[in-house]
């Protein structure tokens, strides 16, 4: 198995956590999102993933993009430990929290969006940072309220789920941009608890071979 990614990509970070939780061996293939105009735009990588985004996961003759699709593939192929609860209602709640992060929070502070803000739209670095913090606060405020009803050690009681896999990389991003996290005690507690697990600690961006 190969995971094409970038050390600081939160989407690739999610997949690393999932692979570690399943205790699966994989080869990391670095795709540098900044160097040479962005290696994700190279002809070789565009052939593999026309969206020109990371991650891309390859398992023999199967190639999958989109982190949540990759994680679902892993969860179905290797059922233990499960990333989703068995109850239909609980499964939907976990998926909803994961999608709150992956679809509504993460895309607004993704690299290509930020590059467009400071490139064609000519925003200053200060304005860009204001954009990042605004949308993180909007998303985290709603998530904090949601998880106040469901969380224990982790997002949903005391079992790691897909929601935790998505949350921890997003909090890492918030820390990168010096977001004040004091208003989010539930998120902070979950983040601390997850970081005690080897699967999460080994997936941290600074632990990756291509970290710079």
């Amino acid at each position: 198995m190969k995971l094409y990614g970038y050390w600081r990509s939160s989407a690739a970070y999610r997949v690393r956590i999932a692979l570690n939780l399943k205790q699966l061996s994989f080869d990391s293939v670095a795709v540098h999102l900044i160097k040479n105009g962005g290696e994700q735009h190279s002809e070789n990588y565009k052939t593999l993933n026309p969206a020109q985004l990371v991650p891309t996961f390859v398992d023999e003759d199967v190639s999958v993009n989109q982190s949540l699709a990759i994680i679902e593939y892993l969860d179905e192929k290797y059922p233990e430990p499960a990333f989703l609860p068995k109850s239909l209602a609980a499964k939907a709640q976990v998926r909803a929290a994961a999608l709150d992060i992956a679809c509504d929070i993460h895309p607004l502070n993704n690299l290509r969006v930020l590059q467009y803000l400071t490139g064609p739209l000519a925003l200053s670095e200060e304005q860009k940072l204001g954009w990042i913090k605004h949308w993180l606060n909007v998303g985290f405020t709603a998530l904090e309220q949601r998880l106040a009803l469901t969380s224990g050690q982790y997002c949903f009681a005391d079992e790691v789920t897909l929601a935790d896999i998505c949350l921890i990389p997003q909090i890492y991003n918030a820390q990168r941009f010096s977001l004040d996290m004091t208003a989010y005690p539930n998120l902070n507690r979950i983040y601390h608890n997850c970081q005690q697990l080897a699967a999460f600690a080994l997936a941290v961006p600074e632990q990756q071979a291509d970290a710079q």
Side-chain angles (χ1 to χ4, degrees):
M1 292 185 286
K2 292 183 179 180
L3 177 64
Y4 292 78
Y6 178 58
W7 66 285
R8 213 156 59 179
S9 159
S10 56
Y13 189 174
R14 294 172 199 150
V15 179
R16 292 196 301 266
I17 293 169
L19 285 161
N20 291 342
L21 286 167
K22 298 290 188 183
Q23 298 186 5
L24 297 171
S25 298
F26 64 99
D27 293 328
S28 290
V29 183
V31 181
H32 202 291
L33 301 185
I34 307 295
K35 285 182 179 177
N36 305 315
E39 293 176 354
Q40 71 275 24
H41 304 306
S42 71
E43 290 303 319
N44 285 342
Y45 190 72
K46 281 196 290 185
T47 300
L48 182 66
N49 184 346
Q52 302 172 51
L53 296 169
V54 295
T56 303
F57 178 73
V58 176
D59 182 14
E60 296 182 348
D61 60 343
V62 175
S63 179
V64 186
N65 68 310
Q66 288 294 346
S67 62
L68 267 62
I70 297 167
I71 293 168
E72 186 172 344
Y73 172 87
L74 292 171
D75 205 30
E76 292 188 7
K77 186 170 182 178
Y78 305 96
E80 296 296 332
F83 296 149
L84 293 169
K86 295 188 183 299
S87 157
L88 179 63
K91 188 180 297 185
Q93 290 180 334
V94 170
R95 279 200 174 112
L99 291 169
D100 279 341
I101 299 163
C103 297
D104 290 337
I105 301 175
H106 169 244
L108 289 168
N109 56 67
N110 198 20
L111 177 64
R112 64 177 180 175
V113 171
L114 301 183
Q115 288 176 331
Y116 189 74
L117 291 176
T118 55
L121 297 186
L123 269 62
S124 67
E125 287 297 318
E126 183 179 2
Q127 288 173 313
K128 181 185 79 172
L129 187 59
W131 165 281
I132 293 168
K133 289 183 175 181
H134 170 77
W135 291 114
L136 283 171
N137 278 318
V138 168
F140 280 178
T141 297
L143 200 58
E144 176 73 13
Q145 293 174 8
R146 180 191 295 273
L147 296 183
L149 303 175
T150 64
S151 62
Q153 291 189 71
Y154 309 112
C155 289
F156 289 84
D158 297 326
E159 298 292 332
V160 172
T161 66
L162 178 63
D164 302 288
I165 293 171
C166 290
L167 176 63
I168 285 5
Q170 197 60 60
I171 293 179
Y172 171 87
N173 274 353
Q175 293 173 339
R176 277 183 57 213
F177 296 115
S178 301
L179 184 76
D180 182 357
M181 293 289 294
T182 55
Y184 311 116
N186 289 310
L187 303 190
N188 289 329
R189 184 187 70 258
I190 294 163
Y191 180 81
H192 173 77
N193 290 338
C194 286
Q195 293 297 64
Q196 308 312 304
L197 303 176
F200 285 83
L202 292 171
V204 167
E206 286 76 13
Q207 296 297 319
Q208 308 315 304
D210 60 323
Q212 298 176 13

